[in-house]
Amino acid sequence: MTKSVAVTGMGILSSIGRNVEENHSALVQGKHGLSNPEILDTNHRNLPIGEIKSSNNDLAEMLNLDKNHVFTRAALLGTLALKEAVKASGINDFTNIGFVNGTSVGGMDMTERFYRDYEKDGTNLRFIQAQHPGFTTEQIANYFGIDAYVTTISTACSSAANAIMMGARLIRSGRLDKVIVGGTDCLSRFTLNGFNSLKIYSEDFPKPFDKDRQGLNLGEAAAYLVLESAASVQNKEILGYVSGYGNANDAFHQTASSENGEGAYLAMQKALKTANLNPHHIEYINAHGTATLNNDLSESRALIRTFKEMPAFSSTKSFTGHTLAAAGAIEAVFSLLAIKNQEIYPNLNFESQIEDSKLEPVTQLKTANIEHVLSNSFGFGGNCTSLIFSKNG
């Protein structure tokens, strides 16, 4: 397990941009992508979401799909983001390339839309089958002709981060030399209703790490990285390296983090150990930062346990909303952008510290010397994952 894992391409589609350049521009300008629902069919018109303002038909046209396609919205978003990533990496031949995809919503938006029709007369079976997360992965893989190694990871909000970790392990172990990793999730009535029923959804824009935070806003997005064994990379720009990773479980509650952030703490410790780094080597933390009462306090305590002196940190979910399974991938892109451009992106809407932790995130765009970025993704069921991206291998 000694091979360096290089990132040679990345692609992203989110509520703040249709590609890497647009997302970076929004981060620099401090422009969030949260608004009232327009595409999602929901009764909760008052709840802000990070919505991509294109219908499924619009997205399908971008991919030249015929009208009888069976792509879920998550698959449509994922395919568009993956196209950007492979183009940036210069990939034309998908032979012997792995694909590890993270998703939790999968085709849920399709099954909730067509279930009653199927229940009534058996129509729209092709969309009922879309419920399984693996269905979305297969649609993306089939579009590109990827078949050497294809798998799906669904570990709630750490799904894409775990996909990146698995891809890095496949390369470091010598099993594959090239793996496309990331995740995609779309908005659905089920997830919006679900988080709202848990009383952790904010009717205002989110305020990560603020003492007056009221809850999260959901978003939809897709992002992918092309990982390659550094030894095999020739004549390509290397955007950074996946130098560390770790996951652990809180083993505490189905939908809440433990009070002292045990799972988060263990995941960060494992990531630092894998990267052979000490806490003081980390210059920036892209925090999980959901803006919920439970998560932000729990993560703050885990950060304090890990770092004697806190590095600069922020939650970019204040831009995109919480994109569930895709969060780890879009924040991986943001972490690599931070390294490439030597800048730290702001934590929007922050006003005052949580009294228990006294931590204060970066609130304005900031330039800094950045060699290593820690990115946290913590999910329901205690699924905690931390990744470290580095400038050099």
Side-chain angles (χ1 to χ4, degrees):
M1 301 284 283
T2 58
K3 293 186 177 182
S4 293
V5 180
V7 181
T8 62
M10 56 187 184
I12 184 171
L13 181 61
S14 78
S15 63
I16 62 171
R18 302 301 181 99
N19 51 46
V20 171
E21 183 180 357
E22 289 184 7
N23 274 265
H24 178 239
S25 177
L27 291 170
V28 169
Q29 295 177 47
K31 293 175 61 176
H32 69 78
L34 302 173
S35 64
N36 291 336
E38 295 177 20
I39 305 298
L40 180 66
D41 182 15
T42 174
N43 292 328
H44 296 296
R45 313 306 298 181
N46 62 316
L47 297 180
I49 56 176
E51 187 174 55
I52 295 168
K53 302 302 184 182
S54 294
S55 69
N56 286 8
N57 288 337
D58 293 336
L59 297 171
E61 286 181 9
M62 295 177 197
L63 296 170
N64 297 315
L65 299 175
D66 65 51
K67 63 181 181 180
N68 294 318
H69 73 83
V70 292
F71 278 56
T72 65
R73 184 171 178 85
L76 293 167
L77 299 177
T79 303
L80 286 164
L82 202 151
K83 281 187 73 173
E84 182 186 15
V86 297
K87 181 180 180 181
S89 184
I91 295 175
N92 297 307
D93 181 6
F94 292 91
T95 306
N96 297 323
I97 291 180
F99 178 41
V100 186
N101 184 49
T103 186
S104 60
V105 175
M108 194 181 298
D109 62 313
M110 290 297 187
T111 54
E112 67 186 16
R113 180 179 173 187
F114 293 111
Y115 178 75
R116 294 303 179 192
D117 292 342
Y118 172 71
E119 186 181 44
K120 180 180 178 181
D121 55 21
T123 58
N124 288 310
L125 175 61
R126 70 187 192 277
F127 289 119
I128 301 305
Q129 294 171 326
Q131 177 74 38
H132 192 284
F135 184 93
T136 290
T137 300
E138 290 294 335
Q139 297 310 304
I140 301 172
N142 291 341
Y143 183 91
F144 294 95
I146 304 171
D147 59 8
Y149 185 101
V150 178
T151 193
T152 304
I153 291 181
S154 189
T155 55
C157 307
S158 62
S159 299
N162 278 329
I164 294 169
M165 180 175 73
M166 183 172 181
R169 287 173 61 89
L170 287 166
I171 289 173
R172 292 186 69 179
S173 66
R175 184 164 180 179
L176 291 170
D177 286 327
K178 194 176 298 183
V179 188
I180 300 167
V181 295
T184 180
D185 256 348
C186 66
L187 290 160
S188 72
R189 294 196 299 269
F190 181 90
T191 49
L192 185 63
N193 294 347
F195 280 92
N196 192 43
S197 70
L198 289 172
K199 308 298 183 184
I200 58 174
Y201 207 104
S202 175
E203 294 185 8
D204 198 357
F205 297 138
K207 303 177 71 172
F209 297 104
D210 191 279
K211 78 177 181 66
D212 295 321
R213 63 200 183 282
Q214 296 298 314
L216 54 75
N217 292 167
L218 289 181
E220 59 185 354
Y224 294 94
L225 308 179
V226 177
L227 305 184
E228 299 190 50
S229 169
S232 67
V233 175
Q234 295 181 348
N235 302 319
K236 286 186 181 182
E237 179 187 7
I238 293 178
L239 304 174
Y241 295 83
V242 182
S243 59
Y245 44 77
N247 67 354
N249 198 288
D250 245 354
F252 175 73
H253 190 273
Q254 286 185 334
T255 60
S257 302
S258 61
E259 291 185 1
N260 67 347
E262 185 67 15
Y265 171 76
L266 291 173
M268 288 187 281
Q269 292 295 312
K270 291 180 180 180
L272 288 164
K273 183 177 180 179
T274 306
N276 196 27
L277 296 174
N278 292 317
H280 70 265
H281 289 119
I282 302 297
E283 289 93 6
Y284 170 50
I285 301 168
N286 186 297
H288 187 53
T290 61
T292 60
L293 293 175
N294 171 252
N295 174 86
D296 289 10
L297 181 56
S298 175
E299 185 175 8
S300 294
R301 287 171 173 164
L303 290 170
I304 291 169
R305 292 174 65 188
T306 303
F307 298 94
K308 291 182 179 180
E309 294 186 11
M310 273 297 299
F313 77 98
S314 65
S315 170
T316 49
K317 288 182 177 67
S318 55
F319 284 87
T320 63
H322 188 357
T323 59
L324 303 181
I330 68 169
E331 290 161 24
V333 171
F334 297 162
S335 297
L336 288 161
L337 285 172
I339 290 172
K340 178 181 179 181
N341 297 288
Q342 297 290 278
E343 55 195 15
I344 295 170
Y345 307 113
N347 189 114
L348 303 179
N349 310 318
F350 178 86
E351 294 177 352
S352 51
Q353 299 172 346
I354 299 172
E355 294 179 3
D356 182 278
S357 67
K358 307 297 184 186
L359 297 183
E360 187 164 334
V362 173
T363 57
Q364 299 290 332
L365 181 71
K366 179 180 177 181
T367 59
N369 179 33
I370 301 175
E371 296 285 332
H372 306 286
V373 175
L374 173 71
S375 182
N376 285 334
S377 296
F378 308 140
F380 279 177
N383 291 294
C384 299
T385 301
S386 296
L387 302 172
I388 296 176
F389 298 94
S390 298
K391 184 176 182 179
N392 299 301

